[in-house]
Amino acid sequence: MIVITLTKFPKSLRGDLTKWYQEIQTGVYVGNVSARIREQLWERITQNIGSGEATMVYNAKNELGYQFRTTRRDRAVIDLDGVPFLQHLATAPDVRELGFSDMAKFHKAKKMAQRNQSRRATSVATPNLVAIDVETTGLNSESDALLSIGAVKTNGEEFYRLIKVEVDIPPKIQELTGISTQLLDDLGVPLATALEELLTFAGQKNLIGYNAKFDEGFLLAAMEKVGIDATDFAIRDLIPAVKKHSRFLPNYRLETVLKEFDVENQNPHNALADAKATLALGTKLIKTGTFRF
């Protein structure tokens, strides 16, 4: 009998495991395969678990009758007179050993090559970028309204506008963004003014965003509404580059990605703060060579 538990694992692993095991609960697989298949599947798991964790328990000829392995960074499997134990580590190691197979050695060599390439790429000049983010009353660009627009340039120049709206702001949106009707009445500008000032600030070159289809969709709909020509307006999305660089994240929400790339966002769901974080992310992706104009 073999039991494998996985957390925050990429969906691609599910396809491999369900060929040999039954998934009796999300992330918990039970089966009875040969030692060769077991070892091959464990090697597959360790190479593709990404930021997730995996633990395997299987039958063994020892005092307990079973043995286990884990990829957890805060634990280590130790053997005391033939009896396996999980040792709690005071400090998790920076690098998790994948084993000594040829495939594991190849994987480690590939990771080192990528790391060296990343170091060499840091000398690549960063183009002049403009990161853009918006906050809205909802998800539908046709029926919901823009509440704020934030943008920041590579040289540090910032743009932030609150926008007067004629609709009620849902309580959840107020709580999430900190934007209230009273705040917009006091500090907001007309939609057309905000959009014209954005185009003056940003121009229409080297615009980037995260999940840019959302921001671009709202901005284009708003420009059409007030009669602004947006023929050449387009925002490049960073998500494809992030997925190319980090294939096995548990999800690709902005907060998850920023954590992966060590980018701090001091005020999430604020258009200017999100734009600053997006610019920092875009700059790092350019230096790794996975994003370019």
Side-chain angles (χ1 to χ4, degrees):
M1 177 70 72
I2 302 170
V3 178
I4 298 175
T5 61
L6 304 175
T7 59
K8 298 181 180 179
F9 59 100
K11 293 182 180 178
S12 58
L13 282 179
R14 176 175 279 115
D16 291 332
L17 290 172
T18 52
K19 294 177 183 178
W20 303 96
Y21 298 91
Q22 282 188 303
E23 187 174 18
I24 61 173
Q25 183 177 322
T26 302
V28 180
Y29 296 85
V30 177
N32 190 10
V33 299
S34 67
R36 181 177 64 85
I37 296 298
R38 182 193 71 210
E39 294 303 305
Q40 289 178 347
L41 288 173
W42 182 249
E43 187 173 51
R44 172 76 174 173
I45 290 170
T46 57
Q47 291 173 4
N48 296 283
I49 193 63
S51 60
E53 295 178 338
T55 299
M56 178 174 69
V57 182
Y58 56 95
N59 294 332
K61 295 180 180 180
N62 57 29
E63 186 175 332
L64 296 179
Y66 61 84
Q67 180 61 272
F68 47 83
R69 298 179 183 177
T70 185
T71 67
R72 292 182 59 174
R73 296 170 178 82
D74 61 343
R75 301 287 191 276
V77 179
I78 61 174
D79 186 283
L80 297 178
D81 296 326
V83 179
F85 290 93
L86 270 181
Q87 180 181 30
H88 292 245
L89 301 178
T91 303
D94 292 331
V95 179
R96 181 171 68 248
E97 293 294 335
L98 299 181
F100 299 95
S101 67
D102 290 340
M103 184 61 72
K105 292 176 182 177
F106 171 78
H107 183 70
K108 291 177 68 176
K110 183 179 178 182
K111 295 291 286 185
M112 288 297 295
Q114 290 174 340
R115 193 174 295 120
N116 291 334
Q117 181 182 6
S118 177
R119 292 195 185 102
R120 291 194 299 270
T122 56
S123 61
V124 176
T126 302
N128 293 322
L129 304 175
V130 182
I132 297 177
D133 188 82
V134 303
E135 298 300 332
T136 68
T137 58
L139 302 177
N140 191 323
S141 61
E142 298 298 324
S143 58
D144 292 309
L146 282 168
L147 293 175
S148 65
I149 304 173
V152 61
K153 296 181 179 179
T154 304
N155 64 9
E157 291 183 55
E158 299 177 0
F159 173 92
Y160 183 66
R161 295 292 183 274
L162 293 166
I163 302 168
K164 293 183 182 293
V165 296
E166 299 177 354
V167 298
D168 293 330
I169 304 175
K172 288 185 178 180
I173 298 298
Q174 293 190 49
E175 181 180 354
L176 189 68
T177 64
I179 298 175
S180 64
T181 302
Q182 184 63 52
L183 181 64
L184 298 184
D185 288 342
D186 293 340
L187 301 177
V189 301
L191 177 62
T193 301
L195 294 172
E196 289 168 355
E197 290 177 346
L198 172 66
L199 292 178
T200 299
F201 173 84
Q204 297 182 358
K205 296 181 179 179
N206 293 356
L207 308 184
I208 63 172
Y210 194 83
N211 190 23
K213 289 184 179 180
F214 178 85
D215 306 88
E216 183 181 88
F218 267 91
L219 290 169
L220 289 175
M223 290 177 191
E224 182 179 0
K225 180 179 179 181
V226 300
I228 294 177
D229 181 12
T231 304
D232 298 324
F233 186 83
I235 304 175
R236 284 280 302 278
D237 197 347
L238 297 181
I239 287 182
V242 170
K243 289 184 176 181
K244 180 180 179 182
H245 183 277
S246 303
R247 295 175 55 196
F248 300 116
L249 293 181
N251 61 69
Y252 289 90
R253 292 191 291 269
L254 180 59
E255 56 267 33
T256 302
V257 171
L258 294 181
K259 183 177 180 181
E260 173 72 9
F261 282 83
D262 294 322
V263 174
E264 182 180 0
N265 188 353
Q266 298 181 348
N267 191 10
H269 303 294
N270 171 277
L272 180 57
D274 286 349
K276 289 180 179 179
T278 299
L279 179 64
L281 174 62
T283 301
K284 289 198 171 189
L285 288 168
I286 288 173
K287 289 181 177 180
T288 64
T290 51
F291 180 77
R292 64 186 62 184
F293 275 93

